[in-house]
Amino acid sequence: MTDNTPVPSPGAIPSGLTLRHPVPSDHPRLQVALADWWGGLGGEVGALQRKLLVPRLFLQHFAGTSFLVERPDGTLHAFLIGLLSQTDPRTAYIHFVGICPDGRRDGLGRALYERFFALAREAGRSQVRCITSPNNRNSVAYHTRMGFHLEPGDHLDEHGTPVHTDYDGPGLDRVSFVREL
Ligand SMILES: CC(C)(COP(=O)(O)OP(=O)(O)OC[C@H]1O[C@@H](n2cnc3c(N)ncnc32)[C@H](O)[C@@H]1OP(=O)(O)O)[C@@H](O)C(=O)NCCC(=O)NCCS
């Protein structure tokens, strides 16, 4: 007997949702998502830092390697901001990813990453890199599940996660991930 259930292709977006590249006019609602979708991580300072980490230039100059997912009513459901390194021709970089709180654990984060991996491979890249905050435990778990390795840091935190102290400035510790393509 044959199972005729369609097998979703890598990067398939759940039905009813639409994928496109972002445009500069998406900036205000991405700013709202960056403040609201991280579960209050880092308080108001954390929200401001995230907003400042995604200025409009990403939507002007890195739109072709970034994705935005909308619901049928046009509201924002998810996004990925990525780029191809200009300095290291082996490397593609995922700068930010966010799935709306109601849309999580449904395979969309994986789908957006698979899309980005495919794009990066087509561009001749052999590895993907990204960083996250050590206190973003969901992000550490998700990236580990997505096949990323945690690069050695200068110490291990209480969860055994390697941390790079002051990576992005005083007090801005980071965890560094790399995944071969
Ligand atoms: C992290 C995030 C992008 C994951 O997106 P998602 O759509 O929920 O992830 P998926 O459903 O595609 O899950 C992909 C895999 O990761 C696993 N995973 C996802 N979140 C996880 C978590 N919190 N803990 C453990 N595993 C997790 C899933 O089980 C799945 O594994 P499988 O495919 O092998 O079964 C989403 O939770 C999010 O937007 N969080 C807030 C923003 C954020 O922290 N972004 C990352 C830092 S920029």
Side-chain angles (χ1 to χ4, degrees), residues 116-151:
F116 185 80
F117 296 162
L119 178 158
R121 276 190 205 99
E122 268 175 42
R125 306 300 162 121
S126 57
Q127 64 177 18
V128 176
R129 291 184 164 275
C130 50
I131 57 170
T132 201
S133 300
N135 59 354
N136 191 343
R137 303 308 307 164
N138 286 332
S139 177
V140 173
Y142 164 75
H143 284 97
T144 304
R145 190 75 191 153
M146 290 301 300
F148 285 81
H149 298 289
L150 290 78
E151 296 196 290

Side-chain angles (χ1 to χ4, degrees), residues 151-175:
E151 296 196 290
D154 54 77
H155 73 279
L156 300 177
D157 71 7
E158 68 272 26
H159 305 283
T161 304
V163 173
H164 301 251
T165 306
D166 297 342
Y167 182 96
D168 267 334
L172 299 175
D173 298 356
R174 298 289 182 254
V175 177

Side-chain angles (χ1 to χ4, degrees), residues 1 27 35 44 49 51-52 60 71 86 100 150 155:
M1 201 171 86
H27 187 245
E44 281 184 24
Q49 285 174 354
K51 290 202 278 189
L52 292 173
Q60 294 168 323
R71 303 186 195 100
Q86 300 204 352
C100 70
L150 290 78
H155 73 279

Side-chain angles (χ1 to χ4, degrees), residues 33-34 37-39 41 50 77-79 94-101 103-113 130-133 136-146 177:
L34 286 158
W37 289 5
W38 265 250
L41 193 73
R50 286 190 294 279
H77 192 82
F79 66 92
I94 296 176
H95 180 48
F96 256 89
V97 61
I99 316 294
C100 70
R104 291 185 193 154
R105 304 304 285 263
D106 196 25
L108 188 53
R110 177 176 285 283
L112 288 179
Y113 268 47
C130 50
I131 57 170
T132 201
S133 300
N136 191 343
R137 303 308 307 164
N138 286 332
S139 177
V140 173
Y142 164 75
H143 284 97
T144 304
R145 190 75 191 153
M146 290 301 300
F177 299 105

